[in-house]
Amino acid sequence: MLRSLILFVFALYSVGATAHQKKYWVIFKDKGQANTAASLDRPLYSPYVSALKKEQLPIICQSKWLNAVSTIMEPQDSARLLSYPFIAQIRPLNQHLQLMCSHIASPPGLEKDQYAFNQMHGQAFADKGLNGTGVRIGVIDAGYIDANVKPSLKTIFEHQHVMATKDFISPWKADLYQSPETFQDWHGTEVLECIGGIFEKGKQQKGFAPNANYYLARTDHGNQEYRGEEDYWVQALEWLDSMNVRLVNSSLGYAKGFDDPAENYRPADMDGQTSMISKVAEIATTKKGMYLVVSAGNEGDDPTWRVVSAPADAEHVLSVGATEYAYGNKFEYSAQGPQHLDYIKPDIACYAPSGTSFSAPIITGLVACMLQYKPQLTNEQITAIIQKSSNLHQFPNNFIGYGVPNCRRILDMMNDQGSLFPNKLLVAEEKTITLPIQHEEALIFQKKDERNVVSQSIKKVKRKGLTLKRMQGISRTTVVTPDEVYEVKWAAL
């Protein structure tokens, strides 16, 4: 009965005191006149916060990096607040997020536990004894119900690898692993499993980093399919930074689905600069030295959206899409990179049949192994090595980025050895070209320019090779096989 009352009170609080009240960021101009050039980590100027409290405005979250607070108020209150000389801007806070899984109602099946690990030749890391030892990993998610009793996470909990937890949604809860509030509370448990899960049968690894140290943050109350709190995400990232956590996984994203459609993001807003959450992700990666691995999103087959969600659009996060296993083609649901960007998104992709929620954490574990092997790697070096190890390293596209990473090549590159996956550029002077491919089938990306894909397909290869015909509106065609990649540049006719 008490728990039901708490949930009822929370539901009232989360929507505000009236139906008209909404959540906003109130952004300050400085951190006090004497602190105009203050560092990111300097606390907010307390007189500014006190002034808002005197206005009877509840302070929900405070962000040092944004120099802002979130609060709930009437829309018409913003004009009055902007008269304060220390307030720079007031922005509506989009309060809805998407868990990056394609089967929201129940956890994904585990019949293909090791596919992603095998797809990227993860055994090469395991043979080197790489398992994330000593690396701090932050996880920002919706809930971790039963994580401490799940057999696949036995190694993490028996060896006390969870170093800290924080529930930003229900801070009064004494136990992050029990007392479920919504059907989505399992989501973070499955994400954690993808980072460091080990299955008893044959000691199979699903995740790369069972020996890493984990810091778990809960920032979403998944009472609705698209319910979330962007300000809690920001606060969690700052908390992880204060705990000296460098590597962070987030399988959450912000796109659309808001109660008020006027507050929806637009695909054009996915530019790495418009959303506050993407701005914070850029601060974390470029100014705080954190490494963020983020799910690309699951609207790839939604004709009204299709592109990645924030903060996967941020330039310096590693955004991860999802591929099928056999050929590495993009799962239809996996979000693609916006064509208006001047950089590649998603960055890479790997196998994940149930959503990009579960491709990103696989890569997070991979990064943890890289940091275990060479802790001195910079963010730029980590990203460059992962991209160069992937099969489309020379011809990335907005469907799967640089392609699927390869752990053997990553190890070689960290040791200044090895070679890249064979990529060949061919110029087709005629309307057709035949490639000397020996495999039975090949993955085809038809592109309108160097990186933007119009369509993908699996094509049968005849005995004499693969013959391609130039298609209307196509300037390049990428052909992917297990051994090499061909990039066909169609000459002007």
Side-chain angles (χ1 to χ4, degrees):
M1 179 66 180
L2 176 60
R3 179 176 172 273
S4 297
L5 178 60
I6 289 174
L7 291 181
F8 176 71
V9 171
F10 176 85
L12 288 178
Y13 177 78
S14 66
V15 298
T18 75
H20 299 291
Q21 288 185 321
K22 296 180 181 180
K23 189 179 283 190
Y24 293 85
W25 283 115
V26 178
I27 305 168
F28 302 131
K29 290 182 178 178
D30 52 53
K31 293 188 175 180
Q33 294 305 314
N35 302 319
T36 301
S39 70
L40 287 170
D41 290 323
R42 186 183 295 275
L44 302 183
Y45 189 51
S46 59
Y48 295 168
V49 179
S50 296
L52 296 182
K53 290 180 179 178
K54 289 179 181 178
E55 290 276 359
Q56 303 299 311
L57 297 177
I59 305 301
I60 310 302
C61 293
Q62 299 188 35
S63 171
K64 295 180 293 184
W65 296 354
L66 292 175
N67 193 23
V69 300
S70 62
T71 187
I72 294 174
M73 62 183 177
E74 301 283 351
Q76 60 267 26
D77 290 338
S78 60
R80 185 182 76 259
L81 291 180
L82 285 172
S83 68
Y84 282 85
F86 57 83
I87 294 179
Q89 189 180 9
I90 296 176
R91 292 185 57 169
L93 178 58
N94 296 301
Q95 296 178 292
H96 305 256
L97 95 171
Q98 177 193 8
L99 301 178
M100 298 306 186
C101 49
S102 60
H103 303 297
I104 298 286
S106 59
L110 299 176
E111 69 277 2
K112 298 179 179 178
D113 294 331
Q114 227 179 357
Y115 271 27
F117 187 85
N118 291 342
Q119 183 190 36
M120 294 182 285
H121 301 277
Q123 193 60 40
F125 277 9
D127 291 344
K128 277 281 187 181
L130 300 180
N131 52 22
T133 298
V135 177
R136 297 184 178 193
I137 300 177
V139 184
I140 302 177
D141 218 283
Y144 305 90
I145 291 302
D146 290 338
N148 61 333
V149 295
K150 190 155 190 174
S152 59
L153 298 175
K154 182 178 179 180
T155 295
I156 291 175
F157 284 92
E158 281 197 349
H159 293 85
Q160 299 182 337
H161 286 310
V162 176
M163 312 306 292
T165 64
K166 195 170 181 67
D167 190 336
F168 290 88
I169 298 297
S170 305
W172 57 81
K173 287 176 63 176
D175 189 346
L176 192 67
Y177 310 119
Q178 303 302 321
S179 304
E181 296 181 24
T182 77
F183 64 86
Q184 293 176 351
D185 283 4
W186 60 267
H187 188 267
T189 303
E190 300 297 329
V191 166
L192 187 60
E193 185 179 68
C194 290
I195 302 175
I198 295 179
F199 298 95
E200 291 296 322
K201 185 178 179 180
K203 297 295 182 182
Q204 288 183 325
Q205 275 188 250
K206 180 173 185 177
F208 282 87
N211 278 25
N213 295 323
Y214 291 92
Y215 298 74
L216 309 180
R218 179 173 178 257
T219 65
D220 169 54
H221 188 280
N223 202 35
Q224 302 173 15
E225 185 168 344
Y226 292 98
R227 185 72 175 92
E229 299 293 353
E230 202 169 331
D231 51 346
Y232 292 133
W233 191 96
V234 171
Q235 201 170 36
L237 198 58
E238 293 189 17
W239 172 69
L240 291 171
D241 177 61
S242 74
M243 304 293 286
N244 294 316
V245 173
R246 180 182 178 189
L247 176 59
V248 178
N249 183 90
S250 178
S251 291
L252 310 174
Y254 296 77
K256 59 177 186 174
F258 307 149
D259 290 337
D260 180 358
E263 293 183 8
N264 283 350
Y265 284 121
R266 303 166 302 161
D269 293 331
M270 299 299 103
D271 57 6
Q273 303 174 32
T274 297
S275 73
M276 296 294 280
I277 196 171
S278 295
K279 287 184 177 181
V280 170
E282 281 292 288
I283 290 172
T285 54
T286 62
K287 296 183 179 180
K288 300 298 298 178
M290 303 176 82
Y291 197 88
L292 271 61
V293 183
V294 179
S295 298
N298 293 341
E299 283 91 15
D301 54 0
D302 181 347
T304 66
W305 189 266
R306 295 201 187 281
V307 299
V308 299
S309 304
D313 61 328
E315 181 174 3
H316 294 96
V317 308
L318 190 78
S319 57
V320 185
T323 73
E324 296 192 30
Y325 182 76
Y327 299 101
N329 50 307
K330 181 180 81 71
F331 270 114
E332 288 300 317
Y333 70 79
S334 185
Q336 62 193 54
Q339 296 189 16
H340 56 260
L341 293 181
D342 59 4
Y343 48 86
I344 293 290
K345 290 293 167 183
D347 293 87
I348 55 171
C350 69
Y351 176 77
S354 301
T356 58
S357 276
F358 311 114
S359 57
I362 292 288
I363 299 299
T364 297
L366 182 152
V367 174
C369 292
M370 294 176 66
L371 288 171
Q372 175 190 354
Y373 192 69
K374 282 203 170 183
Q376 70 274 22
L377 287 173
T378 66
N379 284 5
E380 293 78 10
Q381 288 171 329
I382 294 170
T383 298
I385 289 171
I386 291 174
Q387 290 175 345
K388 289 180 181 178
S389 79
S390 303
N391 59 334
L392 298 185
H393 62 87
Q394 193 173 337
F395 307 111
N397 64 48
N398 71 328
F399 264 36
I400 61 171
Y402 289 79
V404 179
N406 183 296
C407 293
R408 294 173 183 168
R409 290 192 170 86
I410 289 173
L411 277 173
D412 286 343
M413 281 186 272
M414 288 195 294
N415 291 316
D416 299 318
Q417 300 173 355
S419 59
L420 303 180
F421 192 87
N423 280 210
K424 299 178 181 179
L425 176 63
L426 302 173
V427 177
E429 301 289 351
E430 306 294 333
K431 292 184 178 181
T432 64
I433 187 173
T434 299
L435 306 179
I437 293 174
Q438 303 301 314
H439 297 276
E440 293 183 359
E441 296 178 315
L443 168 61
I444 312 292
F445 292 108
Q446 301 287 3
K447 303 185 294 184
K448 70 175 187 177
D449 51 36
E450 287 189 16
R451 75 160 186 260
N452 291 304
V453 177
V454 174
S455 66
Q456 66 173 9
S457 61
I458 307 297
K459 190 170 183 179
K460 293 282 186 182
V461 178
K462 296 182 178 180
R463 184 173 301 177
K464 294 182 179 180
L466 179 65
T467 299
L468 299 173
K469 295 182 180 180
R470 182 172 188 173
M471 297 173 60
Q472 183 71 28
I474 299 301
S475 67
R476 288 183 176 243
T477 301
T478 306
V479 180
V480 184
T481 77
D483 301 328
E484 56 194 345
V485 169
Y486 292 92
E487 180 80 354
V488 177
K489 181 179 179 181
W490 298 97
L493 298 177

